[in-house]
Amino acid sequence: MELSSYRGPAVVLRIGELFLKRGNRRSFEDALERNLRRALAGRDDVRLARAHGRMFVLGAADEDLLARLRWVFGLSSLSPATLCDKRLDALTASALELSAAIAVRPGDRFRVVARRADKSFPADSCEIGRVVGAAIAERTGLAVDLEEPDVRVGVEVGPEWAFVWSGERPGGGGLPVGISGRAALLLSGGIDSPVAGHLLQKRGLELACVYFHAPPYTGDGAREKVIDLARALAARQDGLLLFVVPFARIQERFRDGPDPSYLVLLYRRAMVRIAERIAAAQKIGALATGESLGQVASQTLTNLGVIEDAATMPILRPLVGFDKAETIEIARRIGTYEVSIRAHEDCCTLFVPRHPQTKGSIARARRLEEEAALGSALDEAATAAERIVL
């Protein structure tokens, strides 16, 4: 199934920011190709083709294929297409066949978008557009609108291909996962942290996830919910490690301390330290969270500073400027919202008073940690973490 000789259904893949990478573009395209092959695993009826900065999936253009490609980061858009002979009459015939299959409404207008990358082709892009457009108008009765068309039909002639397309679908955007390094995401069962993970994957980061579980205070349902959320993130990269950390013993130590208003801050500082131990063992150099400025008591600017004091690694917070409605909109779009709203306990709320501290002190948090005498508890929690491969 060579690109230059293939005729039939295909998906045209358009790359986004990779155009900006110049000297590094080859390595970025290699990463994108690896991620595409992973997304296409099991579809033995199709083949990925790449030439002259273009990428195609040859062999089919069905909905399953388009769904698999939807969240491959590095693609700006994709379209079902038909590859045909590099002749104007063949392009016109394919465009007529494609336009006949498009669902149109009364009064819809269309335009033809023609591109001729192969300058040896006898017709220029204007002539291609005029000939193909006239044929579609005559066959369908649709009117032409070059400014605000309801339907766009594309025609492209390149060095090794000629094809027509219609129906531009959005791609994942961003950069291929794996191109920007790795981070350990503190994943809870809530709405925010899966969205944070999604946004970081979109910027090319590969994730490992760390979840803090507190049986008997939190049940198996809470654990299964987080596994389902991690599985959604795993679909965007080549394997994902989820570490389930037993956290109840540490929370009980803090619970018995003198100042319950600091519990959330003490939990978060301990989580950061445990996550760093796990990250370091995996040769990961950064943490990530779903924290958003001012959203809850632990996320005031002052308290973020108290939490940050416990870290030695950079902490990435992609949602820091988001409001809740924006985060929910993304969660719905990426399919994690319905999982996140399942009613299960979260360890961060255990033993926490109604009015937690909103203006914490680093010195006070350090004293409370000393009084809790954790000893080797953080090391033991990191070592005891269950490792799940998704």
PDB file of all heavy atoms in Angstrom, residues 326-343:
ATOM      1  N   GLU A 326     -14.742  26.540  33.289  1.00  0.00           N
ATOM      2  CA  GLU A 326     -13.815  26.203  32.201  1.00  0.00           C
ATOM      3  C   GLU A 326     -13.284  24.781  32.359  1.00  0.00           C
ATOM      4  O   GLU A 326     -13.163  24.033  31.384  1.00  0.00           O
ATOM      5  CB  GLU A 326     -12.643  27.194  32.192  1.00  0.00           C
ATOM      6  CG  GLU A 326     -13.026  28.606  31.796  1.00  0.00           C
ATOM      7  CD  GLU A 326     -11.882  29.585  31.995  1.00  0.00           C
ATOM      8  OE1 GLU A 326     -11.260  29.580  33.083  1.00  0.00           O
ATOM      9  OE2 GLU A 326     -11.613  30.366  31.077  1.00  0.00           O
ATOM     10  N   THR A 327     -12.961  24.414  33.591  1.00  0.00           N
ATOM     11  CA  THR A 327     -12.433  23.073  33.837  1.00  0.00           C
ATOM     12  C   THR A 327     -13.498  22.013  33.537  1.00  0.00           C
ATOM     13  O   THR A 327     -13.201  20.980  32.923  1.00  0.00           O
ATOM     14  CB  THR A 327     -11.962  22.959  35.294  1.00  0.00           C
ATOM     15  OG1 THR A 327     -11.006  23.988  35.558  1.00  0.00           O
ATOM     16  CG2 THR A 327     -11.330  21.610  35.553  1.00  0.00           C
ATOM     17  N   ILE A 328     -14.724  22.272  33.966  1.00  0.00           N
ATOM     18  CA  ILE A 328     -15.815  21.310  33.713  1.00  0.00           C
ATOM     19  C   ILE A 328     -16.048  21.150  32.209  1.00  0.00           C
ATOM     20  O   ILE A 328     -16.281  20.043  31.721  1.00  0.00           O
ATOM     21  CB  ILE A 328     -17.095  21.766  34.432  1.00  0.00           C
ATOM     22  CG1 ILE A 328     -16.926  21.581  35.942  1.00  0.00           C
ATOM     23  CG2 ILE A 328     -18.311  20.994  33.927  1.00  0.00           C
ATOM     24  CD1 ILE A 328     -18.084  22.127  36.764  1.00  0.00           C
ATOM     25  N   GLU A 329     -15.968  22.243  31.482  1.00  0.00           N
ATOM     26  CA  GLU A 329     -16.198  22.165  30.024  1.00  0.00           C
ATOM     27  C   GLU A 329     -15.178  21.233  29.373  1.00  0.00           C
ATOM     28  O   GLU A 329     -15.517  20.418  28.514  1.00  0.00           O
ATOM     29  CB  GLU A 329     -16.124  23.571  29.427  1.00  0.00           C
ATOM     30  CG  GLU A 329     -16.582  23.674  27.979  1.00  0.00           C
ATOM     31  CD  GLU A 329     -15.492  23.261  26.990  1.00  0.00           C
ATOM     32  OE1 GLU A 329     -14.304  23.491  27.272  1.00  0.00           O
ATOM     33  OE2 GLU A 329     -15.832  22.686  25.936  1.00  0.00           O
ATOM     34  N   ILE A 330     -13.916  21.347  29.792  1.00  0.00           N
ATOM     35  CA  ILE A 330     -12.888  20.462  29.232  1.00  0.00           C
ATOM     36  C   ILE A 330     -13.124  19.024  29.683  1.00  0.00           C
ATOM     37  O   ILE A 330     -13.000  18.081  28.892  1.00  0.00           O
ATOM     38  CB  ILE A 330     -11.481  20.943  29.648  1.00  0.00           C
ATOM     39  CG1 ILE A 330     -11.199  22.321  29.059  1.00  0.00           C
ATOM     40  CG2 ILE A 330     -10.421  19.937  29.175  1.00  0.00           C
ATOM     41  CD1 ILE A 330      -9.876  22.915  29.524  1.00  0.00           C
ATOM     42  N   ALA A 331     -13.484  18.844  30.973  1.00  0.00           N
ATOM     43  CA  ALA A 331     -13.721  17.486  31.485  1.00  0.00           C
ATOM     44  C   ALA A 331     -14.833  16.796  30.696  1.00  0.00           C
ATOM     45  O   ALA A 331     -14.746  15.597  30.388  1.00  0.00           O
ATOM     46  CB  ALA A 331     -14.064  17.553  32.970  1.00  0.00           C
ATOM     47  N   ARG A 332     -15.871  17.534  30.371  1.00  0.00           N
ATOM     48  CA  ARG A 332     -16.956  16.946  29.568  1.00  0.00           C
ATOM     49  C   ARG A 332     -16.443  16.569  28.179  1.00  0.00           C
ATOM     50  O   ARG A 332     -16.771  15.508  27.635  1.00  0.00           O
ATOM     51  CB  ARG A 332     -18.112  17.943  29.430  1.00  0.00           C
ATOM     52  CG  ARG A 332     -18.892  18.198  30.703  1.00  0.00           C
ATOM     53  CD  ARG A 332     -20.077  19.128  30.398  1.00  0.00           C
ATOM     54  NE  ARG A 332     -20.763  19.568  31.587  1.00  0.00           N
ATOM     55  CZ  ARG A 332     -21.685  18.862  32.257  1.00  0.00           C
ATOM     56  NH1 ARG A 332     -21.999  17.657  31.820  1.00  0.00           N
ATOM     57  NH2 ARG A 332     -22.257  19.346  33.329  1.00  0.00           N
ATOM     58  N   ARG A 333     -15.634  17.442  27.606  1.00  0.00           N
ATOM     59  CA  ARG A 333     -15.161  17.223  26.230  1.00  0.00           C
ATOM     60  C   ARG A 333     -14.226  16.020  26.132  1.00  0.00           C
ATOM     61  O   ARG A 333     -14.239  15.301  25.142  1.00  0.00           O
ATOM     62  CB  ARG A 333     -14.468  18.504  25.737  1.00  0.00           C
ATOM     63  CG  ARG A 333     -14.045  18.497  24.295  1.00  0.00           C
ATOM     64  CD  ARG A 333     -14.007  19.911  23.718  1.00  0.00           C
ATOM     65  NE  ARG A 333     -13.465  20.898  24.619  1.00  0.00           N
ATOM     66  CZ  ARG A 333     -12.174  21.194  24.714  1.00  0.00           C
ATOM     67  NH1 ARG A 333     -11.303  20.553  23.969  1.00  0.00           N
ATOM     68  NH2 ARG A 333     -11.749  22.144  25.535  1.00  0.00           N
ATOM     69  N   ILE A 334     -13.434  15.789  27.160  1.00  0.00           N
ATOM     70  CA  ILE A 334     -12.457  14.689  27.090  1.00  0.00           C
ATOM     71  C   ILE A 334     -12.987  13.406  27.716  1.00  0.00           C
ATOM     72  O   ILE A 334     -12.296  12.394  27.741  1.00  0.00           O
ATOM     73  CB  ILE A 334     -11.120  15.075  27.754  1.00  0.00           C
ATOM     74  CG1 ILE A 334     -11.285  15.291  29.263  1.00  0.00           C
ATOM     75  CG2 ILE A 334     -10.535  16.317  27.095  1.00  0.00           C
ATOM     76  CD1 ILE A 334      -9.969  15.564  29.985  1.00  0.00           C
ATOM     77  N   GLY A 335     -14.216  13.457  28.255  1.00  0.00           N
ATOM     78  CA  GLY A 335     -14.859  12.227  28.720  1.00  0.00           C
ATOM     79  C   GLY A 335     -14.531  11.808  30.140  1.00  0.00           C
ATOM     80  O   GLY A 335     -14.806  10.665  30.516  1.00  0.00           O
ATOM     81  N   THR A 336     -13.987  12.716  30.967  1.00  0.00           N
ATOM     82  CA  THR A 336     -13.682  12.345  32.353  1.00  0.00           C
ATOM     83  C   THR A 336     -14.723  12.854  33.345  1.00  0.00           C
ATOM     84  O   THR A 336     -14.749  12.402  34.487  1.00  0.00           O
ATOM     85  CB  THR A 336     -12.304  12.895  32.770  1.00  0.00           C
ATOM     86  OG1 THR A 336     -12.282  14.317  32.617  1.00  0.00           O
ATOM     87  CG2 THR A 336     -11.198  12.278  31.924  1.00  0.00           C
ATOM     88  N   TYR A 337     -15.580  13.780  32.929  1.00  0.00           N
ATOM     89  CA  TYR A 337     -16.511  14.414  33.873  1.00  0.00           C
ATOM     90  C   TYR A 337     -17.443  13.393  34.515  1.00  0.00           C
ATOM     91  O   TYR A 337     -17.611  13.394  35.743  1.00  0.00           O
ATOM     92  CB  TYR A 337     -17.319  15.494  33.154  1.00  0.00           C
ATOM     93  CG  TYR A 337     -18.316  16.192  34.044  1.00  0.00           C
ATOM     94  CD1 TYR A 337     -17.903  17.150  34.967  1.00  0.00           C
ATOM     95  CD2 TYR A 337     -19.678  15.882  33.973  1.00  0.00           C
ATOM     96  CE1 TYR A 337     -18.816  17.786  35.792  1.00  0.00           C
ATOM     97  CE2 TYR A 337     -20.598  16.512  34.797  1.00  0.00           C
ATOM     98  CZ  TYR A 337     -20.160  17.456  35.700  1.00  0.00           C
ATOM     99  OH  TYR A 337     -21.068  18.074  36.523  1.00  0.00           O
ATOM    100  N   GLU A 338     -18.035  12.527  33.718  1.00  0.00           N
ATOM    101  CA  GLU A 338     -19.011  11.573  34.258  1.00  0.00           C
ATOM    102  C   GLU A 338     -18.356  10.599  35.232  1.00  0.00           C
ATOM    103  O   GLU A 338     -19.021  10.088  36.135  1.00  0.00           O
ATOM    104  CB  GLU A 338     -19.685  10.806  33.106  1.00  0.00           C
ATOM    105  CG  GLU A 338     -20.531  11.682  32.193  1.00  0.00           C
ATOM    106  CD  GLU A 338     -21.666  12.379  32.947  1.00  0.00           C
ATOM    107  OE1 GLU A 338     -22.179  11.770  33.897  1.00  0.00           O
ATOM    108  OE2 GLU A 338     -22.002  13.520  32.578  1.00  0.00           O
ATOM    109  N   VAL A 339     -17.084  10.325  35.059  1.00  0.00           N
ATOM    110  CA  VAL A 339     -16.366   9.468  36.021  1.00  0.00           C
ATOM    111  C   VAL A 339     -16.081  10.252  37.294  1.00  0.00           C
ATOM    112  O   VAL A 339     -16.286   9.765  38.417  1.00  0.00           O
ATOM    113  CB  VAL A 339     -15.044   8.954  35.409  1.00  0.00           C
ATOM    114  CG1 VAL A 339     -14.312   8.061  36.419  1.00  0.00           C
ATOM    115  CG2 VAL A 339     -15.309   8.192  34.117  1.00  0.00           C
ATOM    116  N   SER A 340     -15.654  11.493  37.149  1.00  0.00           N
ATOM    117  CA  SER A 340     -15.269  12.299  38.310  1.00  0.00           C
ATOM    118  C   SER A 340     -16.425  12.581  39.253  1.00  0.00           C
ATOM    119  O   SER A 340     -16.210  12.761  40.459  1.00  0.00           O
ATOM    120  CB  SER A 340     -14.655  13.626  37.849  1.00  0.00           C
ATOM    121  OG  SER A 340     -13.412  13.420  37.219  1.00  0.00           O
ATOM    122  N   ILE A 341     -17.643  12.647  38.751  1.00  0.00           N
ATOM    123  CA  ILE A 341     -18.774  12.998  39.624  1.00  0.00           C
ATOM    124  C   ILE A 341     -19.394  11.779  40.303  1.00  0.00           C
ATOM    125  O   ILE A 341     -20.383  11.913  41.019  1.00  0.00           O
ATOM    126  CB  ILE A 341     -19.864  13.781  38.852  1.00  0.00           C
ATOM    127  CG1 ILE A 341     -20.456  12.930  37.727  1.00  0.00           C
ATOM    128  CG2 ILE A 341     -19.303  15.096  38.321  1.00  0.00           C
ATOM    129  CD1 ILE A 341     -21.650  13.593  37.042  1.00  0.00           C
ATOM    130  N   ARG A 342     -18.809  10.583  40.114  1.00  0.00           N
ATOM    131  CA  ARG A 342     -19.278   9.434  40.887  1.00  0.00           C
ATOM    132  C   ARG A 342     -19.086   9.727  42.378  1.00  0.00           C
ATOM    133  O   ARG A 342     -18.041  10.259  42.778  1.00  0.00           O
ATOM    134  CB  ARG A 342     -18.477   8.181  40.531  1.00  0.00           C
ATOM    135  CG  ARG A 342     -18.738   7.633  39.152  1.00  0.00           C
ATOM    136  CD  ARG A 342     -17.915   6.353  39.006  1.00  0.00           C
ATOM    137  NE  ARG A 342     -17.682   5.997  37.636  1.00  0.00           N
ATOM    138  CZ  ARG A 342     -16.711   5.166  37.242  1.00  0.00           C
ATOM    139  NH1 ARG A 342     -15.909   4.621  38.135  1.00  0.00           N
ATOM    140  NH2 ARG A 342     -16.559   4.873  35.969  1.00  0.00           N
ATOM    141  N   ALA A 343     -20.062   9.388  43.176  1.00  0.00           N
ATOM    142  CA  ALA A 343     -20.043   9.747  44.598  1.00  0.00           C
ATOM    143  C   ALA A 343     -19.197   8.772  45.404  1.00  0.00           C
ATOM    144  O   ALA A 343     -19.685   7.720  45.835  1.00  0.00           O
ATOM    145  CB  ALA A 343     -21.465   9.780  45.133  1.00  0.00           C
TER     146      ALA A 343
END
